Amino acid sequence: MANLASFARHLLPHPSRTSGGRELPRWWVELLLVGLLYAVYETTRGLQRSWTATADRNGRSIQRWEEAVHLAPEQSLNEVLHDLPVLAVLAAYFYATLHFILTPAVLIWLYRVHPGHYRRARTWLAAVTLSALIGFWRFPATPPRLLPHTGIHDTVADVEQRGWWSGQTSAPHGLGGLVNEYAAMPSLHVGWAVWSGWLLFRHARRKSLRAFGLAYPVLTEAVYSSV
């Protein structure tokens, strides 16, 4: 807890810091970039509203390919969560919460504590996000938990009464329409986890945070494969 508190104390931006002899981007420029990415997200999501059949077909194709090359752990991991409700609740909270908190926290931490690495990290995050959004538009795919007749339990929906999300999405009740449920491939959240984990491992001074940086992408992949 002390390590996390120390990490949190560095989250507030410090506009006077510089990056490699250059001033850091102004906060409103960064907000403008976020707004631009969100506009692209909304555009791609709006284009997919009538593509349920295509997304289901693509989701099943991915499943068949995973089974053919023996890379389909979803069923076994999902059964473990189904048999252990406490673990299912923890996984659902991880799934619905952590990427919203940790990704911006790492970005602000870099801005505040490691300004020399901020611009490149921010640019990589924006590029990864934009690439994934284009992928969702060109290849919508329904995640296994929402595909009918797969034998996979929808863990998020099964434990919704113990969380703040709705049964259909990981968004809060009433905000499910803001989520693109056909954005399963590539997993943007796993990409964010790899980005966050690498930066923590590379730049954190405390060994515990560096260890968490290594573990976080692995945990994210395990959770997203099981829920």
Side-chain angles (χ1 to χ4, degrees), residues 7 106 109 196-204 209-210 212-213:
F7 175 65
V106 169
W109 171 68
S196 300
W198 166 248
L199 290 170
L200 286 174
F201 174 74
R202 180 69 178 81
H203 301 298
L209 285 177
R210 294 173 62 191
F212 176 75

Side-chain angles (χ1 to χ4, degrees), residues 94 98-99 102-103 106 109-110 121 124-125 128-129 186-203 209-222 224:
F94 187 111
L98 210 54
H99 62 279
L102 195 59
T103 308
V106 169
W109 171 68
L110 281 175
W124 271 107
L125 179 63
V128 167
T129 302
S187 174
L188 180 57
H189 296 165
V190 172
W192 285 353
V194 172
W195 176 89
S196 300
W198 166 248
L199 290 170
L200 286 174
F201 174 74
R202 180 69 178 81
H203 301 298
L209 285 177
R210 294 173 62 191
F212 176 75
L214 289 177
Y216 178 52
V218 178
L219 289 172
T220 300
E221 176 61 32
Y224 277 67

Side-chain angles (χ1 to χ4, degrees), residues 44 47-56 136-138 140 182:
T44 58
L47 291 172
Q48 292 178 342
R49 285 174 178 165
S50 60
W51 292 2
T52 302
T54 301
D56 286 354
F136 301 154
W137 168 47
R138 299 303 299 168
Y182 302 143

Side-chain angles (χ1 to χ4, degrees), residues 77 86 102 122 185 212:
L77 293 174
V86 173
L102 195 59
R122 176 259 277 150
M185 278 292 290
F212 176 75

